[in-house]
PDB file of all heavy atoms in Angstrom:
ATOM      1  N   GLU D   1       0.797  -1.230   0.000  1.00 47.00           N
ATOM      2  CA  GLU D   1       0.000   0.000   0.000  1.00 47.00           C
ATOM      3  C   GLU D   1       0.825   1.273   0.000  1.00 47.00           C
ATOM      4  O   GLU D   1       0.407   2.267  -0.561  1.00 47.00           O
ATOM      5  CB  GLU D   1      -0.928   0.094   1.212  1.00 47.00           C
ATOM      6  CG  GLU D   1      -1.423  -1.161   1.771  1.00 47.00           C
ATOM      7  CD  GLU D   1      -2.321  -0.998   2.966  1.00 47.00           C
ATOM      8  OE1 GLU D   1      -2.096  -0.128   3.825  1.00 47.00           O
ATOM      9  OE2 GLU D   1      -3.262  -1.778   3.042  1.00 47.00           O
ATOM     10  N   ASP D   2       1.971   1.275   0.646  1.00 56.00           N
ATOM     11  CA  ASP D   2       2.759   2.494   0.759  1.00 56.00           C
ATOM     12  C   ASP D   2       3.795   2.650  -0.355  1.00 56.00           C
ATOM     13  O   ASP D   2       4.544   3.605  -0.351  1.00 56.00           O
ATOM     14  CB  ASP D   2       3.472   2.539   2.115  1.00 56.00           C
ATOM     15  CG  ASP D   2       2.498   2.681   3.273  1.00 56.00           C
ATOM     16  OD1 ASP D   2       1.363   3.151   3.040  1.00 56.00           O
ATOM     17  OD2 ASP D   2       2.873   2.317   4.394  1.00 56.00           O
ATOM     18  N   SER D   3       3.850   1.712  -1.284  1.00 62.00           N
ATOM     19  CA  SER D   3       4.843   1.838  -2.348  1.00 62.00           C
ATOM     20  C   SER D   3       4.473   3.035  -3.228  1.00 62.00           C
ATOM     21  O   SER D   3       3.316   3.371  -3.393  1.00 62.00           O
ATOM     22  CB  SER D   3       4.938   0.556  -3.166  1.00 62.00           C
ATOM     23  OG  SER D   3       3.728   0.272  -3.817  1.00 62.00           O
ATOM     24  N   THR D   4       5.489   3.683  -3.768  1.00 79.00           N
ATOM     25  CA  THR D   4       5.260   4.882  -4.579  1.00 79.00           C
ATOM     26  C   THR D   4       5.061   4.560  -6.051  1.00 79.00           C
ATOM     27  O   THR D   4       4.565   5.386  -6.791  1.00 79.00           O
ATOM     28  CB  THR D   4       6.422   5.878  -4.415  1.00 79.00           C
ATOM     29  OG1 THR D   4       7.634   5.228  -4.786  1.00 79.00           O
ATOM     30  CG2 THR D   4       6.522   6.375  -2.985  1.00 79.00           C
ATOM     31  N   VAL D   5       5.467   3.371  -6.465  1.00 83.00           N
ATOM     32  CA  VAL D   5       5.290   2.952  -7.850  1.00 83.00           C
ATOM     33  C   VAL D   5       4.174   1.915  -7.878  1.00 83.00           C
ATOM     34  O   VAL D   5       4.331   0.826  -7.344  1.00 83.00           O
ATOM     35  CB  VAL D   5       6.594   2.346  -8.428  1.00 83.00           C
ATOM     36  CG1 VAL D   5       6.377   1.849  -9.838  1.00 83.00           C
ATOM     37  CG2 VAL D   5       7.722   3.354  -8.364  1.00 83.00           C
ATOM     38  N   ALA D   6       3.058   2.274  -8.468  1.00 85.00           N
ATOM     39  CA  ALA D   6       1.916   1.359  -8.535  1.00 85.00           C
ATOM     40  C   ALA D   6       1.640   1.012  -9.991  1.00 85.00           C
ATOM     41  O   ALA D   6       1.316   1.882 -10.795  1.00 85.00           O
ATOM     42  CB  ALA D   6       0.695   1.999  -7.896  1.00 85.00           C
ATOM     43  N   LYS D   7       1.811  -0.260 -10.318  1.00 91.00           N
ATOM     44  CA  LYS D   7       1.561  -0.739 -11.680  1.00 91.00           C
ATOM     45  C   LYS D   7       0.747  -2.018 -11.585  1.00 91.00           C
ATOM     46  O   LYS D   7       0.839  -2.750 -10.602  1.00 91.00           O
ATOM     47  CB  LYS D   7       2.882  -1.025 -12.403  1.00 91.00           C
ATOM     48  CG  LYS D   7       3.720   0.207 -12.634  1.00 91.00           C
ATOM     49  CD  LYS D   7       4.967  -0.121 -13.406  1.00 91.00           C
ATOM     50  CE  LYS D   7       5.806   1.141 -13.552  1.00 91.00           C
ATOM     51  NZ  LYS D   7       7.003   0.910 -14.344  1.00 91.00           N
ATOM     52  N   THR D   8       0.009  -2.289 -12.630  1.00 91.00           N
ATOM     53  CA  THR D   8      -0.740  -3.532 -12.679  1.00 91.00           C
ATOM     54  C   THR D   8       0.210  -4.673 -12.998  1.00 91.00           C
ATOM     55  O   THR D   8       1.322  -4.469 -13.511  1.00 91.00           O
ATOM     56  CB  THR D   8      -1.838  -3.471 -13.760  1.00 91.00           C
ATOM     57  OG1 THR D   8      -1.208  -3.374 -15.045  1.00 91.00           O
ATOM     58  CG2 THR D   8      -2.782  -2.301 -13.527  1.00 91.00           C
ATOM     59  N   ASP D   9      -0.262  -5.872 -12.749  1.00 91.00           N
ATOM     60  CA  ASP D   9       0.516  -7.059 -13.078  1.00 91.00           C
ATOM     61  C   ASP D   9       0.816  -7.080 -14.577  1.00 91.00           C
ATOM     62  O   ASP D   9       1.925  -7.427 -14.996  1.00 91.00           O
ATOM     63  CB  ASP D   9      -0.257  -8.307 -12.648  1.00 91.00           C
ATOM     64  CG  ASP D   9       0.583  -9.549 -12.729  1.00 91.00           C
ATOM     65  OD1 ASP D   9       1.659  -9.580 -12.105  1.00 91.00           O
ATOM     66  OD2 ASP D   9       0.175 -10.490 -13.431  1.00 91.00           O
ATOM     67  N   GLU D  10      -0.134  -6.678 -15.377  1.00 94.00           N
ATOM     68  CA  GLU D  10       0.054  -6.639 -16.831  1.00 94.00           C
ATOM     69  C   GLU D  10       1.161  -5.659 -17.216  1.00 94.00           C
ATOM     70  O   GLU D  10       1.995  -5.954 -18.083  1.00 94.00           O
ATOM     71  CB  GLU D  10      -1.260  -6.235 -17.513  1.00 94.00           C
ATOM     72  CG  GLU D  10      -1.199  -6.266 -19.022  1.00 94.00           C
ATOM     73  CD  GLU D  10      -2.544  -5.934 -19.652  1.00 94.00           C
ATOM     74  OE1 GLU D  10      -3.550  -6.546 -19.247  1.00 94.00           O
ATOM     75  OE2 GLU D  10      -2.560  -5.070 -20.544  1.00 94.00           O
ATOM     76  N   GLN D  11       1.194  -4.500 -16.581  1.00 94.00           N
ATOM     77  CA  GLN D  11       2.255  -3.522 -16.867  1.00 94.00           C
ATOM     78  C   GLN D  11       3.624  -4.073 -16.500  1.00 94.00           C
ATOM     79  O   GLN D  11       4.588  -3.902 -17.253  1.00 94.00           O
ATOM     80  CB  GLN D  11       1.986  -2.216 -16.108  1.00 94.00           C
ATOM     81  CG  GLN D  11       0.819  -1.423 -16.653  1.00 94.00           C
ATOM     82  CD  GLN D  11       0.465  -0.258 -15.752  1.00 94.00           C
ATOM     83  OE1 GLN D  11       0.325  -0.394 -14.539  1.00 94.00           O
ATOM     84  NE2 GLN D  11       0.333   0.921 -16.362  1.00 94.00           N
ATOM     85  N   TRP D  12       3.735  -4.738 -15.337  1.00 95.00           N
ATOM     86  CA  TRP D  12       5.023  -5.326 -14.950  1.00 95.00           C
ATOM     87  C   TRP D  12       5.456  -6.370 -15.968  1.00 95.00           C
ATOM     88  O   TRP D  12       6.620  -6.443 -16.349  1.00 95.00           O
ATOM     89  CB  TRP D  12       4.946  -5.954 -13.562  1.00 95.00           C
ATOM     90  CG  TRP D  12       4.928  -4.963 -12.433  1.00 95.00           C
ATOM     91  CD1 TRP D  12       3.948  -4.810 -11.496  1.00 95.00           C
ATOM     92  CD2 TRP D  12       5.934  -3.991 -12.105  1.00 95.00           C
ATOM     93  NE1 TRP D  12       4.279  -3.812 -10.616  1.00 95.00           N
ATOM     94  CE2 TRP D  12       5.491  -3.291 -10.968  1.00 95.00           C
ATOM     95  CE3 TRP D  12       7.160  -3.647 -12.664  1.00 95.00           C
ATOM     96  CZ2 TRP D  12       6.235  -2.276 -10.374  1.00 95.00           C
ATOM     97  CZ3 TRP D  12       7.906  -2.634 -12.076  1.00 95.00           C
ATOM     98  CH2 TRP D  12       7.437  -1.967 -10.946  1.00 95.00           C
ATOM     99  N   ARG D  13       4.522  -7.207 -16.422  1.00 95.00           N
ATOM    100  CA  ARG D  13       4.856  -8.251 -17.409  1.00 95.00           C
ATOM    101  C   ARG D  13       5.365  -7.645 -18.715  1.00 95.00           C
ATOM    102  O   ARG D  13       6.233  -8.216 -19.368  1.00 95.00           O
ATOM    103  CB  ARG D  13       3.653  -9.146 -17.671  1.00 95.00           C
ATOM    104  CG  ARG D  13       3.356 -10.112 -16.554  1.00 95.00           C
ATOM    105  CD  ARG D  13       2.191 -11.035 -16.933  1.00 95.00           C
ATOM    106  NE  ARG D  13       1.799 -11.873 -15.830  1.00 95.00           N
ATOM    107  CZ  ARG D  13       2.361 -13.047 -15.524  1.00 95.00           C
ATOM    108  NH1 ARG D  13       3.360 -13.498 -16.251  1.00 95.00           N
ATOM    109  NH2 ARG D  13       1.939 -13.749 -14.502  1.00 95.00           N
ATOM    110  N   GLU D  14       4.812  -6.501 -19.096  1.00 95.00           N
ATOM    111  CA  GLU D  14       5.245  -5.838 -20.332  1.00 95.00           C
ATOM    112  C   GLU D  14       6.635  -5.217 -20.187  1.00 95.00           C
ATOM    113  O   GLU D  14       7.407  -5.208 -21.140  1.00 95.00           O
ATOM    114  CB  GLU D  14       4.246  -4.744 -20.717  1.00 95.00           C
ATOM    115  CG  GLU D  14       2.923  -5.269 -21.223  1.00 95.00           C
ATOM    116  CD  GLU D  14       1.894  -4.170 -21.462  1.00 95.00           C
ATOM    117  OE1 GLU D  14       2.248  -2.976 -21.367  1.00 95.00           O
ATOM    118  OE2 GLU D  14       0.726  -4.516 -21.726  1.00 95.00           O
ATOM    119  N   GLU D  15       6.954  -4.721 -19.008  1.00 95.00           N
ATOM    120  CA  GLU D  15       8.214  -4.001 -18.797  1.00 95.00           C
ATOM    121  C   GLU D  15       9.394  -4.899 -18.437  1.00 95.00           C
ATOM    122  O   GLU D  15      10.536  -4.550 -18.715  1.00 95.00           O
ATOM    123  CB  GLU D  15       8.033  -2.966 -17.684  1.00 95.00           C
ATOM    124  CG  GLU D  15       7.114  -1.831 -18.074  1.00 95.00           C
ATOM    125  CD  GLU D  15       6.955  -0.818 -16.971  1.00 95.00           C
ATOM    126  OE1 GLU D  15       7.822  -0.759 -16.069  1.00 95.00           O
ATOM    127  OE2 GLU D  15       5.961  -0.077 -17.002  1.00 95.00           O
ATOM    128  N   LEU D  16       9.127  -6.014 -17.793  1.00 96.00           N
ATOM    129  CA  LEU D  16      10.202  -6.893 -17.315  1.00 96.00           C
ATOM    130  C   LEU D  16      10.336  -8.121 -18.209  1.00 96.00           C
ATOM    131  O   LEU D  16       9.349  -8.591 -18.776  1.00 96.00           O
ATOM    132  CB  LEU D  16       9.912  -7.338 -15.879  1.00 96.00           C
ATOM    133  CG  LEU D  16       9.751  -6.235 -14.832  1.00 96.00           C
ATOM    134  CD1 LEU D  16       9.253  -6.820 -13.515  1.00 96.00           C
ATOM    135  CD2 LEU D  16      11.059  -5.486 -14.630  1.00 96.00           C
ATOM    136  N   SER D  17      11.553  -8.649 -18.289  1.00 96.00           N
ATOM    137  CA  SER D  17      11.744  -9.916 -18.991  1.00 96.00           C
ATOM    138  C   SER D  17      11.076 -11.013 -18.156  1.00 96.00           C
ATOM    139  O   SER D  17      10.813 -10.821 -16.961  1.00 96.00           O
ATOM    140  CB  SER D  17      13.237 -10.219 -19.148  1.00 96.00           C
ATOM    141  OG  SER D  17      13.783 -10.592 -17.888  1.00 96.00           O
ATOM    142  N   PRO D  18      10.815 -12.177 -18.732  1.00 96.00           N
ATOM    143  CA  PRO D  18      10.223 -13.262 -17.937  1.00 96.00           C
ATOM    144  C   PRO D  18      11.053 -13.616 -16.693  1.00 96.00           C
ATOM    145  O   PRO D  18      10.498 -13.850 -15.621  1.00 96.00           O
ATOM    146  CB  PRO D  18      10.154 -14.429 -18.919  1.00 96.00           C
ATOM    147  CG  PRO D  18      10.007 -13.762 -20.254  1.00 96.00           C
ATOM    148  CD  PRO D  18      10.877 -12.524 -20.155  1.00 96.00           C
ATOM    149  N   ALA D  19      12.374 -13.630 -16.818  1.00 96.00           N
ATOM    150  CA  ALA D  19      13.229 -13.958 -15.669  1.00 96.00           C
ATOM    151  C   ALA D  19      13.163 -12.859 -14.609  1.00 96.00           C
ATOM    152  O   ALA D  19      13.099 -13.152 -13.401  1.00 96.00           O
ATOM    153  CB  ALA D  19      14.673 -14.170 -16.123  1.00 96.00           C
ATOM    154  N   GLU D  20      13.187 -11.597 -15.033  1.00 96.00           N
ATOM    155  CA  GLU D  20      13.071 -10.485 -14.088  1.00 96.00           C
ATOM    156  C   GLU D  20      11.721 -10.527 -13.381  1.00 96.00           C
ATOM    157  O   GLU D  20      11.646 -10.356 -12.165  1.00 96.00           O
ATOM    158  CB  GLU D  20      13.216  -9.144 -14.815  1.00 96.00           C
ATOM    159  CG  GLU D  20      14.597  -8.883 -15.346  1.00 96.00           C
ATOM    160  CD  GLU D  20      14.648  -7.711 -16.321  1.00 96.00           C
ATOM    161  OE1 GLU D  20      13.596  -7.252 -16.811  1.00 96.00           O
ATOM    162  OE2 GLU D  20      15.779  -7.262 -16.609  1.00 96.00           O
ATOM    163  N   TYR D  21      10.664 -10.778 -14.128  1.00 97.00           N
ATOM    164  CA  TYR D  21       9.322 -10.842 -13.555  1.00 97.00           C
ATOM    165  C   TYR D  21       9.243 -11.954 -12.511  1.00 97.00           C
ATOM    166  O   TYR D  21       8.689 -11.763 -11.431  1.00 97.00           O
ATOM    167  CB  TYR D  21       8.281 -11.063 -14.660  1.00 97.00           C
ATOM    168  CG  TYR D  21       6.875 -11.098 -14.133  1.00 97.00           C
ATOM    169  CD1 TYR D  21       6.159  -9.917 -13.946  1.00 97.00           C
ATOM    170  CD2 TYR D  21       6.271 -12.301 -13.793  1.00 97.00           C
ATOM    171  CE1 TYR D  21       4.867  -9.946 -13.435  1.00 97.00           C
ATOM    172  CE2 TYR D  21       4.991 -12.342 -13.282  1.00 97.00           C
ATOM    173  CZ  TYR D  21       4.287 -11.162 -13.106  1.00 97.00           C
ATOM    174  OH  TYR D  21       3.017 -11.199 -12.577  1.00 97.00           O
ATOM    175  N   GLN D  22       9.807 -13.101 -12.821  1.00 96.00           N
ATOM    176  CA  GLN D  22       9.749 -14.253 -11.902  1.00 96.00           C
ATOM    177  C   GLN D  22      10.407 -13.927 -10.572  1.00 96.00           C
ATOM    178  O   GLN D  22       9.901 -14.292  -9.518  1.00 96.00           O
ATOM    179  CB  GLN D  22      10.396 -15.476 -12.570  1.00 96.00           C
ATOM    180  CG  GLN D  22      10.070 -16.796 -11.924  1.00 96.00           C
ATOM    181  CD  GLN D  22      11.094 -17.225 -10.880  1.00 96.00           C
ATOM    182  OE1 GLN D  22      12.258 -16.834 -10.930  1.00 96.00           O
ATOM    183  NE2 GLN D  22      10.655 -18.018  -9.936  1.00 96.00           N
ATOM    184  N   VAL D  23      11.523 -13.227 -10.582  1.00 97.00           N
ATOM    185  CA  VAL D  23      12.209 -12.876  -9.337  1.00 97.00           C
ATOM    186  C   VAL D  23      11.560 -11.671  -8.670  1.00 97.00           C
ATOM    187  O   VAL D  23      11.177 -11.723  -7.497  1.00 97.00           O
ATOM    188  CB  VAL D  23      13.711 -12.611  -9.582  1.00 97.00           C
ATOM    189  CG1 VAL D  23      14.378 -12.016  -8.351  1.00 97.00           C
ATOM    190  CG2 VAL D  23      14.421 -13.901  -9.983  1.00 97.00           C
ATOM    191  N   LEU D  24      11.418 -10.583  -9.406  1.00 96.00           N
ATOM    192  CA  LEU D  24      10.956  -9.331  -8.818  1.00 96.00           C
ATOM    193  C   LEU D  24       9.494  -9.338  -8.403  1.00 96.00           C
ATOM    194  O   LEU D  24       9.136  -8.764  -7.367  1.00 96.00           O
ATOM    195  CB  LEU D  24      11.195  -8.184  -9.805  1.00 96.00           C
ATOM    196  CG  LEU D  24      12.656  -7.804 -10.018  1.00 96.00           C
ATOM    197  CD1 LEU D  24      12.838  -7.049 -11.323  1.00 96.00           C
ATOM    198  CD2 LEU D  24      13.158  -6.978  -8.849  1.00 96.00           C
ATOM    199  N   ARG D  25       8.628  -9.952  -9.180  1.00 96.00           N
ATOM    200  CA  ARG D  25       7.193  -9.871  -8.907  1.00 96.00           C
ATOM    201  C   ARG D  25       6.614 -11.153  -8.324  1.00 96.00           C
ATOM    202  O   ARG D  25       5.539 -11.148  -7.749  1.00 96.00           O
ATOM    203  CB  ARG D  25       6.428  -9.484 -10.177  1.00 96.00           C
ATOM    204  CG  ARG D  25       6.899  -8.193 -10.835  1.00 96.00           C
ATOM    205  CD  ARG D  25       7.022  -6.995  -9.919  1.00 96.00           C
ATOM    206  NE  ARG D  25       5.762  -6.661  -9.263  1.00 96.00           N
ATOM    207  CZ  ARG D  25       5.666  -5.813  -8.254  1.00 96.00           C
ATOM    208  NH1 ARG D  25       6.728  -5.210  -7.782  1.00 96.00           N
ATOM    209  NH2 ARG D  25       4.495  -5.572  -7.711  1.00 96.00           N
ATOM    210  N   GLN D  26       7.334 -12.292  -8.475  1.00 96.00           N
ATOM    211  CA  GLN D  26       6.831 -13.561  -7.952  1.00 96.00           C
ATOM    212  C   GLN D  26       7.739 -14.126  -6.867  1.00 96.00           C
ATOM    213  O   GLN D  26       7.604 -15.283  -6.495  1.00 96.00           O
ATOM    214  CB  GLN D  26       6.670 -14.577  -9.085  1.00 96.00           C
ATOM    215  CG  GLN D  26       5.612 -14.148 -10.097  1.00 96.00           C
ATOM    216  CD  GLN D  26       5.414 -15.168 -11.192  1.00 96.00           C
ATOM    217  OE1 GLN D  26       6.375 -15.711 -11.749  1.00 96.00           O
ATOM    218  NE2 GLN D  26       4.155 -15.448 -11.508  1.00 96.00           N
ATOM    219  N   ALA D  27       8.668 -13.320  -6.384  1.00 93.00           N
ATOM    220  CA  ALA D  27       9.562 -13.698  -5.276  1.00 93.00           C
ATOM    221  C   ALA D  27      10.394 -14.939  -5.585  1.00 93.00           C
ATOM    222  O   ALA D  27      10.658 -15.756  -4.708  1.00 93.00           O
ATOM    223  CB  ALA D  27       8.786 -13.871  -3.972  1.00 93.00           C
ATOM    224  N   GLY D  28      10.842 -15.045  -6.823  1.00 94.00           N
ATOM    225  CA  GLY D  28      11.707 -16.154  -7.196  1.00 94.00           C
ATOM    226  C   GLY D  28      13.150 -15.889  -6.795  1.00 94.00           C
ATOM    227  O   GLY D  28      13.481 -14.841  -6.238  1.00 94.00           O
ATOM    228  N   THR D  29      14.004 -16.850  -7.084  1.00 93.00           N
ATOM    229  CA  THR D  29      15.430 -16.733  -6.783  1.00 93.00           C
ATOM    230  C   THR D  29      16.235 -17.220  -7.971  1.00 93.00           C
ATOM    231  O   THR D  29      15.946 -18.288  -8.514  1.00 93.00           O
ATOM    232  CB  THR D  29      15.797 -17.587  -5.543  1.00 93.00           C
ATOM    233  OG1 THR D  29      15.016 -17.141  -4.435  1.00 93.00           O
ATOM    234  CG2 THR D  29      17.276 -17.470  -5.199  1.00 93.00           C
ATOM    235  N   GLU D  30      17.219 -16.418  -8.370  1.00 95.00           N
ATOM    236  CA  GLU D  30      18.093 -16.883  -9.448  1.00 95.00           C
ATOM    237  C   GLU D  30      19.077 -17.905  -8.870  1.00 95.00           C
ATOM    238  O   GLU D  30      19.329 -17.936  -7.669  1.00 95.00           O
ATOM    239  CB  GLU D  30      18.836 -15.710 -10.085  1.00 95.00           C
ATOM    240  CG  GLU D  30      19.810 -15.015  -9.157  1.00 95.00           C
ATOM    241  CD  GLU D  30      20.352 -13.705  -9.721  1.00 95.00           C
ATOM    242  OE1 GLU D  30      20.071 -13.367 -10.877  1.00 95.00           O
ATOM    243  OE2 GLU D  30      21.066 -13.022  -8.983  1.00 95.00           O
ATOM    244  N   ARG D  31      19.622 -18.735  -9.727  1.00 95.00           N
ATOM    245  CA  ARG D  31      20.582 -19.741  -9.286  1.00 95.00           C
ATOM    246  C   ARG D  31      21.850 -19.061  -8.771  1.00 95.00           C
ATOM    247  O   ARG D  31      22.273 -18.037  -9.305  1.00 95.00           O
ATOM    248  CB  ARG D  31      20.908 -20.695 -10.420  1.00 95.00           C
ATOM    249  CG  ARG D  31      19.740 -21.597 -10.772  1.00 95.00           C
ATOM    250  CD  ARG D  31      20.082 -22.692 -11.789  1.00 95.00           C
ATOM    251  NE  ARG D  31      21.436 -22.652 -12.289  1.00 95.00           N
ATOM    252  CZ  ARG D  31      21.749 -22.523 -13.578  1.00 95.00           C
ATOM    253  NH1 ARG D  31      20.825 -22.413 -14.493  1.00 95.00           N
ATOM    254  NH2 ARG D  31      23.012 -22.517 -13.946  1.00 95.00           N
ATOM    255  N   PRO D  32      22.488 -19.621  -7.743  1.00 94.00           N
ATOM    256  CA  PRO D  32      23.717 -19.021  -7.232  1.00 94.00           C
ATOM    257  C   PRO D  32      24.834 -19.047  -8.268  1.00 94.00           C
ATOM    258  O   PRO D  32      24.879 -19.927  -9.129  1.00 94.00           O
ATOM    259  CB  PRO D  32      24.070 -19.882  -6.016  1.00 94.00           C
ATOM    260  CG  PRO D  32      23.366 -21.175  -6.240  1.00 94.00           C
ATOM    261  CD  PRO D  32      22.134 -20.855  -7.038  1.00 94.00           C
ATOM    262  N   PHE D  33      25.717 -18.083  -8.165  1.00 95.00           N
ATOM    263  CA  PHE D  33      26.913 -17.959  -9.009  1.00 95.00           C
ATOM    264  C   PHE D  33      26.595 -17.759 -10.487  1.00 95.00           C
ATOM    265  O   PHE D  33      27.438 -18.010 -11.336  1.00 95.00           O
ATOM    266  CB  PHE D  33      27.854 -19.171  -8.823  1.00 95.00           C
ATOM    267  CG  PHE D  33      28.240 -19.411  -7.394  1.00 95.00           C
ATOM    268  CD1 PHE D  33      27.628 -20.411  -6.653  1.00 95.00           C
ATOM    269  CD2 PHE D  33      29.187 -18.616  -6.768  1.00 95.00           C
ATOM    270  CE1 PHE D  33      27.968 -20.630  -5.321  1.00 95.00           C
ATOM    271  CE2 PHE D  33      29.537 -18.824  -5.439  1.00 95.00           C
ATOM    272  CZ  PHE D  33      28.921 -19.830  -4.714  1.00 95.00           C
ATOM    273  N   THR D  34      25.382 -17.315 -10.811  1.00 94.00           N
ATOM    274  CA  THR D  34      25.012 -17.102 -12.211  1.00 94.00           C
ATOM    275  C   THR D  34      24.683 -15.638 -12.492  1.00 94.00           C
ATOM    276  O   THR D  34      24.675 -15.240 -13.649  1.00 94.00           O
ATOM    277  CB  THR D  34      23.780 -17.944 -12.611  1.00 94.00           C
ATOM    278  OG1 THR D  34      22.662 -17.556 -11.808  1.00 94.00           O
ATOM    279  CG2 THR D  34      24.050 -19.431 -12.445  1.00 94.00           C
ATOM    280  N   GLY D  35      24.411 -14.860 -11.482  1.00 94.00           N
ATOM    281  CA  GLY D  35      23.987 -13.479 -11.670  1.00 94.00           C
ATOM    282  C   GLY D  35      25.130 -12.555 -12.048  1.00 94.00           C
ATOM    283  O   GLY D  35      26.313 -12.837 -11.805  1.00 94.00           O
ATOM    284  N   GLU D  36      24.767 -11.447 -12.605  1.00 94.00           N
ATOM    285  CA  GLU D  36      25.724 -10.465 -13.120  1.00 94.00           C
ATOM    286  C   GLU D  36      26.612  -9.849 -12.031  1.00 94.00           C
ATOM    287  O   GLU D  36      27.760  -9.509 -12.288  1.00 94.00           O
ATOM    288  CB  GLU D  36      24.914  -9.370 -13.823  1.00 94.00           C
ATOM    289  CG  GLU D  36      25.705  -8.294 -14.477  1.00 94.00           C
ATOM    290  CD  GLU D  36      24.824  -7.293 -15.214  1.00 94.00           C
ATOM    291  OE1 GLU D  36      23.583  -7.413 -15.173  1.00 94.00           O
ATOM    292  OE2 GLU D  36      25.395  -6.383 -15.833  1.00 94.00           O
ATOM    293  N   TYR D  37      26.110  -9.690 -10.817  1.00 94.00           N
ATOM    294  CA  TYR D  37      26.837  -8.913  -9.805  1.00 94.00           C
ATOM    295  C   TYR D  37      27.348  -9.724  -8.613  1.00 94.00           C
ATOM    296  O   TYR D  37      27.894  -9.140  -7.682  1.00 94.00           O
ATOM    297  CB  TYR D  37      25.936  -7.790  -9.276  1.00 94.00           C
ATOM    298  CG  TYR D  37      25.407  -6.886 -10.357  1.00 94.00           C
ATOM    299  CD1 TYR D  37      24.040  -6.712 -10.527  1.00 94.00           C
ATOM    300  CD2 TYR D  37      26.271  -6.197 -11.211  1.00 94.00           C
ATOM    301  CE1 TYR D  37      23.553  -5.878 -11.520  1.00 94.00           C
ATOM    302  CE2 TYR D  37      25.781  -5.366 -12.207  1.00 94.00           C
ATOM    303  CZ  TYR D  37      24.421  -5.211 -12.353  1.00 94.00           C
ATOM    304  OH  TYR D  37      23.938  -4.390 -13.336  1.00 94.00           O
TER     305      TYR D  37
END
């Protein structure tokens, strides 16, 4: 409720790649030692 960026699920799906969406919006986890940073 207090977040400043409010988007629909459809908007997030359009803006994020499937992998980004899975982690950022569905609380997924990328495999260890594979991420960019």
Side-chain angles (χ1 to χ4, degrees):
E1 330 180 322
D2 293 338
S3 63
T4 58
V5 177
K7 295 183 183 183
T8 65
D9 190 56
E10 184 177 310
Q11 289 171 311
W12 285 120
R13 286 184 186 274
E14 288 174 7
E15 292 180 21
L16 302 171
S17 73
E20 291 167 345
Y21 182 85
Q22 196 267 334
V23 170
L24 290 160
R25 304 310 301 168
Q26 296 182 316
T29 301
E30 65 190 354
R31 290 187 357 239
F33 305 102
T34 61
E36 183 177 3
Y37 304 123

